[in-house]
Amino acid sequence: MLKSVTSSGVAAPQATTGATSPQAKMVTISINGKEVEVKEGSTIIEAYYQSGLDIAHYCWHPGLSIAGVCRLCMVEIEGNPRLQIACNTTVVAGMKVNNSSAKVKDAVKWGLDFHLINHPLDCPICDQAGECGLQDQYMKYGQYDSEMGEQKVKKHKVVDLGPRVVLDSERCILCSRCVRFTDEVSKTHELGIFNRGDRAEIGTFEGKPLANNYSLNTVDICPVGALTSRDFRFRQRVWFLKNAETVCTGCSTGCNVKVYFNKEGLFRMKPVYNPNVNGHWMCDVGRDTYKFVNKEARLLEAKVVSSGKSQEMPAMELAKKLGATLRGHGTSAALVLTGSYSVEEYEAIVSYFKTDVGTKNIYHWINNPETFDSFDGLLFRGDKNPNTRGLLEVLKAQGISGSWKELVDGIGTGAIKTVVVAGPENQANFPDMKVKIAELSKVAKLVWLTSGKNAELDALTGDVALLPVKSYVEKAGSFVNHAGLRQQVDRVMTVVPGAVSLTELVDLMKEVGDAMTVKSTAATETVPAISANQIGQGRINNEFTLSRGVW
Amino acid sequence: MAIAIEKVKRAEATDTWYMPGILWGLLLTFKSLVLNLIDYIPSVVGVKKRQIMPTVNYPEEKYEYSPRFKGNHVLTVKKDGSLRCTACMLCATNCPADCIKITASEHEDPSVEKFPIAYEIDILRCVFCGFCEEACPVDAIRMGPEWQTPGVNGSEFIYDIKHLAYRPQLKGGIVSVLDEKERHEAGI
Ligand code: SF4
Ligand code: SF4
Ligand code: SF4
Ligand code: SF4
Ligand code: FES
């Protein structure tokens, strides 16, 4: 397990204790009078998390080194006259720690008071409100009346640290999580703490903005509203949003994510801890993958263009028509697949083409062959598809090995008359979109399955049909990441009610003229392309995601 | 054990008879009519000012409620006339009728930071509970004494910023009691 963490380059200094390694030796300590078993070598704060207990803290983060600067994680250790910080004290067998005594509570309360001395308390206009460490911990441990009579120190507000992150220095509690992130995880070292005492501020160096591909993680780990996301800023109050877990489709790493949405659509994405895939983080490119899902970007109705006339119709109707055309079409039909769809969908449509249509003309459209195998050393991969590996394995299992040249030649000679394209979901990742559309539109009949709108496709004349398909949040299915890890996701929400998944499309196409066969229960019954031992842990819950707040 | 018999007293006709009540009501109406006439005729001839008329000639005459009445909403303004609202959406969160819709945006002045580019109240869904007024941290929304909400089509019942803050009756806007500049200068 640990191996997969380090091999994907995720810096996880405390991974030994964060991951559940069976060999770890356990020691017994007493927390708040309760005997608990914790892993040897854990810090006290980790012991609290391992046993599901609450402890106040700001600067400690399971994915970063220990700073010990916020002084909020105070505990009483028996035999020790003074309070100690839990994040930087290692447990020893028989240790008796306590954070429920009046002494600890008092220390936390006045620690909080110190943090809030110069805090502007502009919660009404602060994006963090509702998921703020200050609000949460004040309600839990504070609830005092401020005893400060001094004026507050004024600092910089609305500072653009980079293209995606906005800083409000007044709200910052100088926990240094963001600085440690750029030092230890992204290793780009943009952020630093400048000045001293109550003038201390987070900042960047002249001409070196916070512009790395992981910058938005600093917004996530900032326990207060000091760092906010330029993209999400002011668009919604967080308490109006629901969330659900899924997998990012930005590249073949398949980071585990939470999408935040309401009835208007998706608003933002945050990483979910999974030691086998992404650790605690995700990249900034991946955070934009909610945009093409929203209604503005989507194809809402099916559209058929023939002999110069265009007509809109429900996707279901077009699917049935297609079924009638494709049934028994034979080798003059071809299917083009991109790596955006789920394994189940590939299995359904590939076996439909093989058995019902009667052709093995199935081709894989690779978007950016030059950068396909590149990797930035942390998470982001050059293969910007969520499921290339799943697609390849399905194609292999079904014995399909067509080259793109065959398809182009087939179209050129007129041997291929109908092409069905399961087009890309994230069109921005397909720089060759225009070229491919031009190439494929030479065929006599083109059927393009797409979740998003596209101006070039809309402008096509000739015999063309566009059919709206579901995006990754609208269907259940599994994606196989670069390492062969199969991750199952559930449906999150419906954005375009009329859209269908490829599996549903196949079912609809099969219904036509096929009253004799029982309605297919999709291709889940076909040979599983990925053997069981490759089905690894998908999205997991663990001590950190369970008991921590969002910050 | 003996069975106890309880005698139920049924209502008599005299108890349920509604005529006396109606006649009593009519008598009141009639009394007002006579009094109005006594009052009205001299006022028409110009002998005397009307005094005891208990009704008003709506809509020519309008009844004014006290300023504490929770009627139509007002968005207050700052001293410079711009909206006081910071688009925090606490009113929308607190509204039980879910009838407030706010679209926030970034203000070019960093000391203002956030402000509403659209603020709409669907007044037909509003239950005039006043929870919005109570939730607002900066006295940006108040409920005023205006209570008439006529309109000829649905869109007239969606009150936007122009109506809520700058309708003619408000004569240029009502100034909020919480001034952000003063608070900033005081170091709060
Ligand atoms: S950081 Fe937290 S406490 Fe501070 S203004 Fe924002 S929400 Fe309020
Ligand atoms: S900006 Fe946020 S994460 Fe960085 S030091 Fe300040 S409070 Fe901590
Ligand atoms: S008065 Fe009540 S129902 Fe009407 S807008 Fe305010 S909170 Fe909503
Ligand atoms: S009216 Fe008040 S409560 Fe409502 S958004 Fe504006 S400032 Fe917030
Ligand atoms: S969490 Fe221990 S000092 Fe900050």
Side-chain angles (χ1 to χ4, degrees), chain A residues 331-343:
Chain A
T331 49
S332 60
L335 172 68
V336 173
L337 292 171
T338 52
S340 318
Y341 300 84
S342 69
V343 173

Side-chain angles (χ1 to χ4, degrees), chain A residues 141-169:
Chain A
Y141 311 107
Q143 309 237 13
Y144 57 82
D145 288 322
S146 171
E147 293 180 359
M148 291 302 298
E150 311 293 310
Q151 289 214 344
K152 296 195 173 189
V153 177
K154 296 284 163 194
K155 293 185 192 171
H156 298 100
K157 289 180 94 74
V158 205
V159 184
D160 281 307
L161 286 183
R164 291 175 289 274
V165 181
V166 184
L167 166 73
D168 186 312
S169 295

Side-chain angles (χ1 to χ4, degrees), chain B residues 131-169:
Chain B
F131 283 11
C132 46
E133 190 181 20
E134 230 160 275
C136 183
V138 292
D139 182 36
I141 189 160
R142 290 188 202 165
M143 300 186 76
E146 290 166 71
W147 52 275
Q148 301 177 88
T149 49
V152 288
N153 63 36
S155 68
E156 283 175 25
F157 295 104
I158 309 274
Y159 291 172
D160 58 359
I161 290 179
K162 211 169 135 235
H163 180 90
L164 289 167
Y166 306 112
R167 55 178 177 263
Q169 297 92 303

Side-chain angles (χ1 to χ4, degrees), chain B residues 71-77 81 83-85 91 99-102 116-123 126 128 132 139-144 146 149 156-175:
Chain B
N72 285 355
H73 305 70
V74 173
L75 283 183
T76 61
V77 294
L83 269 194
R84 181 67 190 92
C85 174
C91 50
C99 65
I100 305 179
K101 190 172 180 291
I102 303 164
I117 47 170
Y119 189 114
E120 284 170 358
I121 297 183
D122 184 346
I123 207 72
C126 173
F128 295 94
C132 46
D139 182 36
I141 189 160
R142 290 188 202 165
M143 300 186 76
E146 290 166 71
T149 49
E156 283 175 25
F157 295 104
I158 309 274
Y159 291 172
D160 58 359
I161 290 179
K162 211 169 135 235
H163 180 90
L164 289 167
Y166 306 112
R167 55 178 177 263
Q169 297 92 303
L170 301 178
K171 302 189 176 75
I174 291 178
V175 179

Side-chain angles (χ1 to χ4, degrees), chain B residues 1 3 6 10 67 82 94 104 152-153 175 188:
Chain B
M1 196 176 93
I3 292 168
E6 197 184 325
R10 303 263 174 225
S82 61
N94 213 22
V152 288
N153 63 36
V175 179
I188 306 173

